[in-house]
């Protein structure tokens, strides 16, 4: 299965949907300070083994699992690896750093 890489503008559209699952892969302290609304934190190093329990705890089946990290590299690798396992993956291009810039520009 392939995965997608999306821009901040595209993420805004996905965030309007109710069938996505948004995961923050940054350091837990960074997530606790601030994160994209409705994102859950996950440790990128154990995500592959924890993704199934995370998804089974949801009351819905996500059409897309969207990952972001600090600058986009970690989420890209994680999305690729999880897509190989059959999960519908998306990675945010540029990560949270681009998201913050984008949010400051649209205000």
């Amino acid at each position: 299965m392939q995965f997608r890489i999306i821009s901040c503008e595209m993420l805004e559209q996905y965030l309007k949907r109710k069938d996505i699952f948004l995961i923050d892969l940054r350091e837990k302290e960074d997530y606790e300070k601030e994160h994209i609304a409705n994102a859950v934190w996950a440790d990128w190093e154990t995500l592959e083994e924890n993704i199934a329990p995370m998804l089974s705890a949801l009351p819905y089946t996500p059409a897309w699992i969207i990952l972001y990290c600090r600058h986009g590299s970690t989420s890209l690798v994680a999305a690729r690896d999880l897509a190989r396992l059959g999960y519908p993956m998306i990675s945010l291009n540029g990560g949270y750093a681009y998201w913050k810039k984008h949010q400051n520009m649209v205000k």
Side-chain angles (χ1 to χ4, degrees), residues 26-34 41:
R26 298 175 302 144
E27 295 295 323
K28 187 156 188 154
E29 298 79 31
D30 294 333
Y31 169 81
E32 289 171 349
K33 286 180 191 170
E34 61 183 355
W41 178 82

Side-chain angles (χ1 to χ4, degrees), residues 17-78:
R17 298 172 54 160
K18 298 197 183 300
D19 63 348
I20 62 146
F21 186 45
L22 183 62
I23 302 175
D24 186 324
L25 299 177
R26 298 175 302 144
E27 295 295 323
K28 187 156 188 154
E29 298 79 31
D30 294 333
Y31 169 81
E32 289 171 349
K33 286 180 191 170
E34 61 183 355
H35 56 271
I36 300 172
N38 300 317
V40 299
W41 178 82
D43 180 355
W44 66 270
E45 293 181 295
T46 59
L47 183 61
E48 199 168 309
E49 56 220 42
N50 292 327
I51 191 71
M54 290 173 77
L55 294 174
S56 65
L58 295 175
Y60 63 98
T61 301
W64 291 102
I65 302 164
I66 303 173
L67 305 178
Y68 70 91
C69 59
R70 182 175 293 137
H71 293 289
S73 304
T74 302
S75 62
L76 187 63
V77 171

Side-chain angles (χ1 to χ4, degrees), residues 77-92:
V77 171
R80 180 202 63 198
D81 293 347
L82 290 171
R84 286 180 180 160
L85 297 175
Y87 293 101
M89 302 304 302
I90 294 175
S91 177
L92 176 62

